[in-house]
């Protein structure tokens, strides 16, 4: 990112749990180096300093769930040279997108005594549904090393170099025996983006896709194969409808299971 001044970094939050912003704060040792390379102009999770203006790089966490946020993301986009979305909420609508398949009004009246005070939209949608996005970093939460690579790349004006491979690759690297093949445990690791180091299979649990779809995943074939091996359709659907359930690849495959 060629610039005569230290590039400005802004971090914005929409509907989310803040976990992806915390990943940046959790960078600890690297954070000091980063702080010397950028001017953190807006990051309310970390500082009350809020510089107005155009930012060189904006990180956006969270999904769009209110009319006010749908308007605010337009303003954020106008004030950001590069806009990178971080985490499952920002890239796929998050766990709150499960309501996209349900009756929003019923949820409101079941949970809140006075739902008339709420202005939430009937859907939770990723940032890319609203504005142009320069890069999407997946994960719930994101991986610190991957985030630092994205920051490094944008600060140098190049594309991030992140392997677009599946969790299965990490299983092989850490020597984990495939629990699906060996024990028949349902696992969506073959279509899930790597980033966690294949934690769940290492503890004998199937991956449930919290890093979202990897590049060109054949989710339909995987879900049909799971169903053909005796896994109940509802279980396959549950495996796909998690933090990234509304990512197009997971959504289409899970809806296909419902529709038969
Ligand atoms: S356990 Fe899951 S992620 Fe690991 S190799 Fe088997 S299918 Fe892939
Ligand atoms: S659910 Fe999948 S992607 Fe998430 S931590 Fe477990 S193995 Fe990794």
């Amino acid at each position: 990112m060629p610039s005569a001044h230290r590039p400005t970094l802004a971090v914005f939050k929409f509907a989310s749990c803040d976990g992806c912003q915390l990943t940046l704060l959790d960078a600890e040792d690297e954070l000091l180096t980063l702080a010397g390379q950028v001017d953190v102009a807006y990051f309310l999770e970390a500082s009350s300093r809020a510089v107005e203006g155009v930012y060189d790089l904006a990180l956006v966490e969270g999904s769009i769930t209110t009319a006010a946020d749908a308007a605010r993301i337009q303003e954020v986009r106008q004030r950001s040279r590069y806009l990178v979305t971080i985490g499952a909420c920002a890239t796929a609508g998050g766990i709150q997108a499960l309501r996209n398949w349900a009756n929003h009004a019923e949820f409101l009246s079941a949970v809140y005594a006075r739902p008339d005070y709420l202005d939430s939209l009937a859907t939770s949608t990723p940032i890319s549904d609203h504005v142009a996005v320069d890069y999407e970093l997946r994960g719930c939460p994101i991986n610190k090393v991957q985030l630092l690579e994205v920051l490094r790349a944008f600060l140098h004006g190049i594309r991030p170099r992140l392997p677009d491979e599946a969790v299965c690759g990490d299983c092989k690297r850490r020597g984990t025996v495939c629990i699906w093949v060996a024990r028949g445990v349902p696992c969506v690791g073959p279509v899930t983006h790597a980033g966690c180091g294949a934690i769940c299979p290492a503890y004998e649990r199937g991956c449930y896709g919290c890093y979202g779809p990897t590049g060109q995943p054949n989710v339909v074939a995987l879900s049909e194969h799971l169903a053909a091996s005796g896994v109940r359709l509802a279980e396959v659907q549950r495996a796909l409808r998690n933090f990234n359930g509304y990512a197009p690849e997971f959504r289409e495959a899970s809806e296909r299971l419902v529709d038969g």
Side-chain angles (χ1 to χ4, degrees):
M1 186 179 296
S3 176
H5 65 291
R6 273 197 306 162
T8 47
L9 172 69
V11 185
F12 295 97
K13 170 192 159 59
F14 288 81
S16 61
C17 74
D18 291 27
C20 292
Q21 292 180 81
L22 288 177
T23 300
L24 181 54
L25 293 175
D26 281 348
E28 298 172 348
D29 295 346
E30 297 88 346
L31 207 51
L32 290 176
T33 308
L34 181 68
Q37 295 178 346
V38 298
D39 178 12
V40 182
Y42 188 95
F43 186 8
L44 296 185
E45 181 88 1
S47 168
S48 55
R49 177 174 182 251
V51 178
E52 294 296 324
V54 175
Y55 309 109
D56 289 311
L57 174 61
L59 299 180
V60 177
E61 176 197 84
S63 66
I64 301 301
T65 60
T66 67
D69 280 347
R72 186 163 66 97
I73 191 61
Q74 300 293 337
E75 189 211 337
V76 167
R77 176 67 266 190
Q78 284 164 13
R79 290 164 55 201
S80 309
R81 287 185 60 215
Y82 292 105
L83 191 154
V84 172
T85 50
I86 55 171
C89 299
T91 59
I95 202 77
Q96 56 273 25
L98 294 179
R99 75 166 179 249
N100 299 357
W101 284 293
N103 186 318
H104 178 240
E106 274 178 18
F107 276 172
L108 291 186
S109 56
V111 175
Y112 297 98
R114 293 293 305 272
D116 43 313
Y117 286 122
L118 304 174
D119 78 340
S120 60
L121 300 169
T123 56
S124 169
T125 43
I127 301 299
S128 61
D129 277 15
H130 300 264
V131 295
V133 168
D134 296 299
Y135 191 81
E136 294 188 308
L137 181 62
R138 299 189 182 281
C140 181
I142 52 172
N143 171 289
K144 178 182 93 170
V145 175
Q146 293 188 346
L147 175 62
L148 290 171
E149 163 60 14
V150 168
L151 291 172
R152 185 195 68 80
F154 276 93
L155 292 175
H156 289 89
I158 57 176
R159 296 294 291 175
R161 294 178 54 143
L162 291 181
D164 197 13
E165 63 172 12
V167 177
C168 296
D170 280 339
C171 273
K172 305 295 175 287
R173 268 186 287 277
R174 68 188 289 167
T176 300
V177 173
C178 176
I179 53 171
W180 184 9
V181 171
R183 295 186 28 226
V185 176
C187 184
V188 299
V191 294
T192 298
H193 201 284
C196 67
I199 298 171
C200 297
Y203 291 93
E204 306 196 348
R205 289 185 50 173
C207 174
Y208 47 91
C210 70
Y211 268 74
T214 191
Q216 300 182 322
N218 197 337
V219 190
V220 171
L222 177 109
S223 52
E224 285 175 353
H225 190 65
L226 282 167
S229 29
V231 183
R232 287 186 304 123
L233 286 185
E235 201 176 338
V236 179
Q237 189 188 65
R238 244 195 326 272
L240 294 171
R241 289 189 177 177
N242 272 296
F243 315 100
N244 291 282
Y246 225 67
E249 300 88 344
F250 287 3
R251 184 182 75 218
E252 283 157 20
S254 77
E255 287 175 350
R256 197 178 146 119
L257 287 168
V258 178
D259 296 335

